[in-house]
């Protein structure tokens, strides 16, 4: 049985930090993209960060570059999203997702549909 379970969401003030975790069960951690999508109010779901399992190549949406860091612990089958300098506009439900594809296809330009994803975790940034 395959499963993605997120944790680590919460409420934080602008400028604060949070770390999201996603435990993947039942997946072979090779030849696939692991990523974080988010859905903001009245916006389409979007990929903000991803990592390729085989070479740890990372990709980021321009809106989070320099502030978010995605990482992968293949031994623990866990992908992380470290979020710093959070802004009000980062408020969203964040979903962990995975898909079998080539490294180049993990970028936000090509990975536009979440496919297998978890239930999501809410991140709220407000003063």
């Amino acid at each position: 049985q395959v499963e993605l379970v997120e944790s680590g969401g919460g409420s934080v003030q602008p400028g604060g930090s949070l770390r999201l975790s996603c435990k993947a069960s039942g997946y072979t951690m090779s030849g696939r993209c692991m990523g974080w999508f988010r859905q903001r109010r009245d916006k389409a779901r979007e990929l903000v960060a991803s990592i390729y399992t085989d070479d740890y190549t990372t990709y980021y949406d321009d809106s989070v570059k320099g502030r978010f860091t995605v990482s992968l612990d293949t031994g623990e089958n866990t992908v992380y999203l470290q979020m710093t300098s959070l802004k009000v506009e980062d408020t969203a439900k964040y979903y962990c997702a995975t898909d079998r594809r080539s490294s180049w296809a993990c970028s936000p330009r090509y990975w536009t549909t979440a496919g297998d994803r978890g239930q999501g975790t809410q991140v709220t940034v407000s003063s």
Side-chain angles (χ1 to χ4, degrees):
Q1 180 179 351
V2 295
E3 190 177 35
L4 299 167
V5 179
E6 303 98 335
S7 61
S11 295
V12 66
Q13 292 185 336
S17 300
L18 282 173
R19 189 175 83 152
L20 307 183
S21 300
C22 171
K23 177 74 172 179
S25 302
Y27 292 98
T28 300
M29 299 301 278
S30 66
R32 62 174 57 248
C33 304
M34 302 295 299
W36 291 92
F37 284 76
R38 70 181 178 189
Q39 185 151 26
R40 297 181 283 182
R41 185 178 295 181
D42 300 327
K43 300 274 189 181
R45 193 173 296 140
E46 58 183 351
L47 179 66
V48 295
S50 61
I51 187 166
Y52 188 61
T53 55
D54 293 13
D55 60 12
Y56 299 90
T57 299
T58 57
Y59 301 89
Y60 297 93
D61 183 77
D62 287 345
S63 64
V64 307
K65 272 181 186 174
R67 301 188 299 120
F68 290 11
T69 303
V70 60
S71 60
L72 175 65
D73 184 336
T74 52
E76 295 293 326
N77 279 16
T78 300
V79 61
Y80 302 95
L81 185 67
Q82 179 68 49
M83 304 184 293
T84 63
S85 302
L86 282 160
K87 304 176 181 180
V88 172
E89 53 264 40
D90 294 318
T91 295
K93 194 161 188 180
Y94 285 73
Y95 298 88
C96 176
T98 187
D99 194 30
R100 285 192 65 86
R101 51 180 59 213
S102 300
S103 177
W104 61 267
C106 296
S107 77
R109 179 177 179 181
Y110 300 107
W111 191 11
T112 57
T113 303
D116 284 5
R117 61 177 174 87
Q119 293 299 305
T121 185
Q122 180 67 35
V123 172
T124 301
V125 186
S126 70
S127 54

